[in-house]
Amino acid sequence: MKKALLGLLVSFIVVQSYAGVEMNYALADSAKAKKVKEAKKPKDDKKKEDTKKTDAKPATTTTTTGTTTSTSSSNNSKYQLPFKTWAIAVNGSFTNPYTDLKYRRFLGVSKPKNEYQWGVGISAIHMLDGAFGIMGTFNAGALQGVADSNMDDRITWNAMRAAGVNPSGNYFKANFYEGSFNLYWDISNTIFGVNRLIRGQNTGKGYKPRWVSLYAFGGLGFNYTTTNVYKLNNGQLDTTKINGVSVFHNGSTSNLVVPVGLGLKFKLSKSIDIGIESSWHFTFTDQLDGFQYAHINNKRRDDFYSMTGVTLTWKLGTRKRDKEHIEWRNPIEGVYSRLDKLDKRVDMLYKDSDGDGVSDVFDKDNNTPEGVKVYGDGTSIDSDNDGVPDYKDVEPFSDPGAKVDENGKSIDSDGDGVPDSRDLEPNTPKGNSVDNQGRSLDNKFATKDDLKNLSNGHGGFFFPSVYFEFNKDNIDRQYEPELQSIAKTLRENQGLVIKVIGYCDQRGTVPYNDDLGMRRAKKIIDYMVRVYGFPATSFEAVSVGNRTTEKAEHWINRRVDFAAKK
């Protein structure tokens, strides 16, 4: 039992109230801040307010917070004061011992001796927040217990008789004094108040003031008791000895005590509470009743006693404190109020009209189509900075500074297949074949002899490249004109064989990129065979993978080049 009680005490100390620990400090800081703000208010503004007072009837605002309802006007607003935290409680109780010399283990009897005696106590309570506090208590009272042959437990009576109890019975009288330090827990504020608050918010009726409070306490203290044992038949002090040893201990004992209690209080006003309380005081001795003997199975059974009665509480506070005591204020109400305001701000912050993942607060384009990738400011990604977002851009990697049309395609004024940004001959006659810089090749297509010993990008004839997305091998439709020009060259040069060379960027392993480069090359060959009807023998697929790459951006390396086979 003692271990369980000590465990309960440790649990009480470990538990902390999250919601209201700094409530009073926050309210005090708020009050100070408001005073400073009013002190700094310009005199002109004060005059304007005075004028408003005479010209118009002040508006009245009613604010309900927990159990406190305050009415203030716009010209005389009252800041929130910290709540009361101190209280003094007194109690008057009936005591009941749980000792060896007792008729019943739990309930007492009034005959042959009254086992219900008197007890009084006084406590000082300081609340740390709305749920937990510390309490110092002093109790005093009397205890009385009796045992004779009429006891309910015959086995226990026989054992006590063998230990020296008078055949006619014995009874004890004791006076005790106890001081303890306890942890005080307002259960109602911690548990029951949450649902009441939520229901009030959901129904819109607000939080109704609470007038009943359930609380508990537990702690550690010191007990001093004086005890005398008497014979039941004549009322004389029993000094019986067995083998020279006194059967009863007539005198005083002092020991540690663990008090635990449970109470229910009712709010009469903002200053006074009344309630009922029961407490159990567990000692570490078996001599509270002056009698100790070998119990059945040789188990030691320490004595304890209970106090049950009425309490009266005065809640203390100065003028600098709110009239309400913090114990009657739900500690999480303020948190919920702040969370409501915070939720509204968060909702505004998280609002994303176009679903692009950027809050409307920061989004410069709230009409982005669904699924489009955007920058941090909510504008659509434009990889080549040509003013056309990628989701509309048919050529997402235009040359830097190149002029493009509304679809992002680089402008080619003379239609020679080389965009103006690279064209050294922007007025090439229609139909002329050109090199990679847009210069005319004597208005003829490259012959087989012209193409011998030429590699892509060298010599006088230019084979265009086809580019791919990351880790993809599908052909984008924007490169169909390039493939058409290659088909035209093949038709003009019967028997020509073209190497189709697949490249990848630096990312990934060499084996994987060798395979990806080959897949890209074969996709091009399949396209030329399927669309233009060339035999597959007109092409040779080669993969370089990522073993040879340009040092420029990744997209430049994700391509297929073409070269005439030597």
Side-chain angles (χ1 to χ4, degrees), residues 92-160:
S93 307
F94 290 104
T95 63
N96 186 25
Y98 296 82
T99 56
D100 298 320
L101 296 179
K102 191 174 188 303
Y103 245 59
R104 299 189 181 97
R105 181 58 183 163
F106 295 104
L107 297 178
V109 296
S110 59
K111 292 180 180 181
K113 291 292 182 178
N114 190 358
E115 293 182 330
Y116 291 103
Q117 297 294 306
W118 61 271
V120 293
I122 183 170
S123 301
I125 307 167
H126 175 60
M127 297 301 295
L128 303 176
D129 55 35
F132 290 97
I134 53 178
M135 180 174 72
T137 300
F138 176 78
N139 291 319
L143 299 172
Q144 182 168 267
V146 63
D148 64 14
S149 58
N150 294 318
M151 286 177 57
D152 291 345
D153 190 345
R154 301 297 300 173
I155 297 177
T156 300
W157 167 251
N158 292 333
M160 289 194 297

Side-chain angles (χ1 to χ4, degrees), residues 388-395 406-408:
V388 180
D390 286 0
Y391 76 94
K392 291 182 178 180
D393 201 335
V394 297
E395 188 180 277
E406 66 275 9
N407 297 316

Side-chain angles (χ1 to χ4, degrees), residues 169-412:
N170 287 99
Y171 68 97
F172 78 94
K173 285 186 175 183
N175 293 312
F176 68 88
Y177 306 91
E178 174 194 309
S180 63
F181 183 80
N182 304 273
L183 179 66
Y184 183 93
W185 178 27
D186 189 306
I187 301 173
S188 297
N189 252 356
T190 311
I191 302 175
F192 304 121
V194 178
N195 285 335
R196 295 177 67 250
L197 179 61
I198 294 175
R199 283 195 297 268
Q201 289 181 333
N202 291 341
T203 59
K205 296 180 179 180
Y207 181 74
K208 294 183 179 180
R210 179 167 52 88
W211 58 275
V212 178
S213 181
L214 179 66
Y215 65 91
F217 61 87
L220 186 66
F222 184 80
N223 175 280
Y224 176 81
T225 303
T226 59
T227 305
N228 288 312
V229 181
Y230 301 93
K231 296 177 181 180
L232 185 59
N233 59 349
N234 57 21
Q236 293 181 356
L237 187 68
D238 196 332
T239 58
T240 302
K241 293 184 179 181
I242 297 179
N243 297 326
V245 178
S246 296
V247 174
F248 302 106
H249 174 73
N250 294 304
S252 63
T253 59
S254 57
N255 57 88
L256 294 176
V257 62
V258 176
V260 293
L262 187 68
L264 190 68
K265 63 173 61 175
F266 303 87
K267 180 181 177 183
L268 298 182
S269 70
K270 292 182 178 180
S271 298
I272 299 176
D273 298 335
I274 191 171
I276 54 175
E277 178 182 288
S278 288
S279 58
W280 294 264
H281 305 256
F282 297 89
T283 69
F284 292 80
T285 179
D286 190 24
Q287 292 191 356
L288 201 64
D289 57 356
F291 178 59
Q292 181 176 350
Y293 75 104
H295 293 82
I296 299 172
N297 299 326
N298 291 320
K299 287 185 177 180
R300 174 172 167 168
R301 190 169 66 184
D302 288 343
D303 298 332
F304 66 100
Y305 57 94
S306 67
M307 298 179 68
T308 301
V310 178
T311 62
L312 191 63
T313 304
W314 286 270
K315 296 167 281 189
L316 308 178
T318 64
R319 292 183 178 180
K320 295 182 179 180
R321 296 276 177 172
D322 192 279
K323 292 182 179 180
E324 187 63 81
H325 193 275
I326 196 171
E327 191 176 355
W328 294 98
R329 167 69 183 263
N330 193 305
I332 67 168
E333 181 186 359
V335 175
Y336 267 96
S337 177
R338 290 181 178 88
L339 285 177
D340 285 342
K341 294 179 181 178
L342 184 60
D343 282 345
K344 293 177 181 178
R345 295 178 183 177
V346 171
D347 289 342
M348 181 177 67
L349 185 63
Y350 272 83
K351 186 179 180 182
D352 181 12
S353 302
D354 52 10
D356 60 0
V358 179
S359 167
D360 287 357
V361 177
F362 308 106
D363 202 336
K364 293 183 178 180
D365 181 7
N366 280 326
N367 297 308
T368 306
E370 184 178 357
V372 173
K373 295 180 180 180
V374 297
Y375 293 114
D377 62 358
T379 56
S380 302
I381 290 178
D382 180 12
S383 301
D384 51 12
N385 294 316
D386 60 0
V388 180
D390 286 0
Y391 76 94
K392 291 182 178 180
D393 201 335
V394 297
E395 188 180 277
F397 303 109
S398 303
D399 294 334
K403 292 183 179 181
V404 298
D405 59 19
E406 66 275 9
N407 297 316
K409 181 77 174 177
S410 297
I411 293 176
D412 179 15

